[in-house]
PDB file of all heavy atoms in Angstrom:
ATOM      1  N   GLN A  50       2.280  -1.494  -4.570  1.00  0.00           N
ATOM      2  CA  GLN A  50       0.780  -1.725  -4.897  1.00  0.00           C
ATOM      3  C   GLN A  50       0.559  -2.028  -6.389  1.00  0.00           C
ATOM      4  O   GLN A  50      -0.544  -2.483  -6.687  1.00  0.00           O
ATOM      5  CB  GLN A  50      -0.038  -0.495  -4.497  1.00  0.00           C
ATOM      6  CG  GLN A  50      -0.077  -0.268  -2.985  1.00  0.00           C
ATOM      7  CD  GLN A  50      -0.976   0.979  -2.659  1.00  0.00           C
ATOM      8  OE1 GLN A  50      -0.501   2.012  -2.687  1.00  0.00           O
ATOM      9  NE2 GLN A  50      -2.225   0.696  -2.405  1.00  0.00           N
ATOM     10  N   GLY A  86      -8.427   4.782   3.967  1.00  0.00           N
ATOM     11  CA  GLY A  86      -8.731   3.702   3.130  1.00  0.00           C
ATOM     12  C   GLY A  86      -7.465   3.315   2.339  1.00  0.00           C
ATOM     13  O   GLY A  86      -6.479   4.029   2.451  1.00  0.00           O
ATOM     14  N   CYS A  87      -7.525   2.220   1.558  1.00  0.00           N
ATOM     15  CA  CYS A  87      -6.342   1.814   0.819  1.00  0.00           C
ATOM     16  C   CYS A  87      -6.752   1.114  -0.432  1.00  0.00           C
ATOM     17  O   CYS A  87      -7.627   0.165  -0.392  1.00  0.00           O
ATOM     18  CB  CYS A  87      -5.460   0.904   1.667  1.00  0.00           C
ATOM     19  SG  CYS A  87      -3.973   0.323   0.909  1.00  0.00           S
ATOM     20  N   LEU A  88      -6.267   1.442  -1.549  1.00  0.00           N
ATOM     21  CA  LEU A  88      -6.648   0.799  -2.822  1.00  0.00           C
ATOM     22  C   LEU A  88      -6.343  -0.728  -2.809  1.00  0.00           C
ATOM     23  O   LEU A  88      -6.911  -1.483  -3.563  1.00  0.00           O
ATOM     24  CB  LEU A  88      -5.901   1.479  -4.042  1.00  0.00           C
ATOM     25  CG  LEU A  88      -6.374   2.893  -4.374  1.00  0.00           C
ATOM     26  CD1 LEU A  88      -5.530   3.492  -5.437  1.00  0.00           C
ATOM     27  CD2 LEU A  88      -7.859   2.918  -4.799  1.00  0.00           C
ATOM     28  N   SER A  89      -5.433  -1.139  -1.907  1.00  0.00           N
ATOM     29  CA  SER A  89      -5.067  -2.536  -1.795  1.00  0.00           C
ATOM     30  C   SER A  89      -5.969  -3.302  -0.772  1.00  0.00           C
ATOM     31  O   SER A  89      -5.824  -4.483  -0.626  1.00  0.00           O
ATOM     32  CB  SER A  89      -3.612  -2.687  -1.407  1.00  0.00           C
ATOM     33  OG  SER A  89      -2.785  -2.195  -2.422  1.00  0.00           O
ATOM     34  N   HIS A 129       1.103   7.097   5.025  1.00  0.00           N
ATOM     35  CA  HIS A 129       0.441   5.882   4.519  1.00  0.00           C
ATOM     36  C   HIS A 129       1.206   5.205   3.395  1.00  0.00           C
ATOM     37  O   HIS A 129       1.507   4.024   3.352  1.00  0.00           O
ATOM     38  CB  HIS A 129      -1.003   6.204   4.090  1.00  0.00           C
ATOM     39  CG  HIS A 129      -1.776   5.068   3.507  1.00  0.00           C
ATOM     40  ND1 HIS A 129      -2.952   4.630   4.122  1.00  0.00           N
ATOM     41  CD2 HIS A 129      -1.569   4.270   2.436  1.00  0.00           C
ATOM     42  CE1 HIS A 129      -3.436   3.611   3.403  1.00  0.00           C
ATOM     43  NE2 HIS A 129      -2.636   3.375   2.382  1.00  0.00           N
ATOM     44  N   GLU A 130       1.624   6.107   2.423  1.00  0.00           N
ATOM     45  CA  GLU A 130       2.416   5.559   1.309  1.00  0.00           C
ATOM     46  C   GLU A 130       3.822   5.156   1.699  1.00  0.00           C
ATOM     47  O   GLU A 130       4.275   4.074   1.172  1.00  0.00           O
ATOM     48  CB  GLU A 130       2.428   6.581   0.165  1.00  0.00           C
ATOM     49  CG  GLU A 130       1.116   7.098  -0.352  1.00  0.00           C
ATOM     50  CD  GLU A 130       0.132   5.937  -0.634  1.00  0.00           C
ATOM     51  OE1 GLU A 130       0.519   4.875  -1.016  1.00  0.00           O
ATOM     52  OE2 GLU A 130      -1.112   6.191  -0.440  1.00  0.00           O
ATOM     53  N   HIS A 133       3.717   1.702   3.025  1.00  0.00           N
ATOM     54  CA  HIS A 133       3.696   0.637   1.973  1.00  0.00           C
ATOM     55  C   HIS A 133       5.113   0.207   1.568  1.00  0.00           C
ATOM     56  O   HIS A 133       5.375  -0.957   1.263  1.00  0.00           O
ATOM     57  CB  HIS A 133       2.943   1.123   0.712  1.00  0.00           C
ATOM     58  CG  HIS A 133       1.475   0.986   0.785  1.00  0.00           C
ATOM     59  ND1 HIS A 133       0.913  -0.219   0.864  1.00  0.00           N
ATOM     60  CD2 HIS A 133       0.509   1.880   0.710  1.00  0.00           C
ATOM     61  CE1 HIS A 133      -0.423  -0.091   0.864  1.00  0.00           C
ATOM     62  NE2 HIS A 133      -0.689   1.203   0.757  1.00  0.00           N
TER      63      HIS A 133
HETATM   64 ZN1   ZN B 201      -2.557   2.038   0.812  1.00  0.00          ZN
END
Side-chain angles (χ1 to χ4, degrees):
Q50 292 182 276
C87 180
L88 292 173
S89 296
H129 178 118
E130 301 314 328
H133 275 299

